[in-house]
Amino acid sequence: ADQGNANAQNCLGNCYLNGHHGVEQNYNMAVEWYHRAADQGDAKAQYNLGVCYQNGHHGVEQNGDLAVEWFRRAADQDYADAQCNLGECYYNGHGVEQS
């Protein structure tokens, strides 16, 4: 992860989020690693950030606009879970105009 591998960064974010594999649970560190991976275009990390912003937990405040932004980035890469969540955002008018 320290060498810039986006997949490893996302996995490390998951470890921090859940407190697995000898890593103490730390939401702020989870979000930091998700951001590092997402900024490199990792769709899973972008989706994970979207979920964090959508729900307003795990070290971030709820922000529908940012949730939609991260879901859209992952959805544009054909990440199915992000496409589903983005559709729900449009359906419910969360972070976007309802349509």
Side-chain angles (χ1 to χ4, degrees), residues 23-98:
V23 176
E24 187 174 330
Q25 189 173 46
N26 183 323
Y27 295 139
N28 291 328
M29 288 299 295
V31 170
E32 180 180 326
W33 284 108
Y34 287 153
H35 264 289
R36 289 184 187 192
D39 288 341
Q40 292 184 67
D42 186 272
K44 290 180 183 179
Q46 291 168 341
Y47 168 78
N48 288 335
L49 274 178
V51 170
C52 290
Y53 283 112
Q54 182 180 41
N55 297 320
H57 62 275
H58 304 312
V60 298
E61 290 192 30
Q62 189 172 22
N63 186 321
D65 293 338
L66 285 174
V68 167
E69 177 183 333
W70 288 114
F71 287 148
R72 183 173 288 121
R73 289 184 188 192
D76 286 346
Q77 296 180 65
D78 297 325
Y79 193 73
D81 290 340
Q83 291 170 336
C84 180
N85 282 33
L86 184 59
E88 289 176 2
C89 289
Y90 277 99
Y91 182 77
N92 294 310
H94 294 184
V96 290
E97 186 176 328
Q98 189 174 14

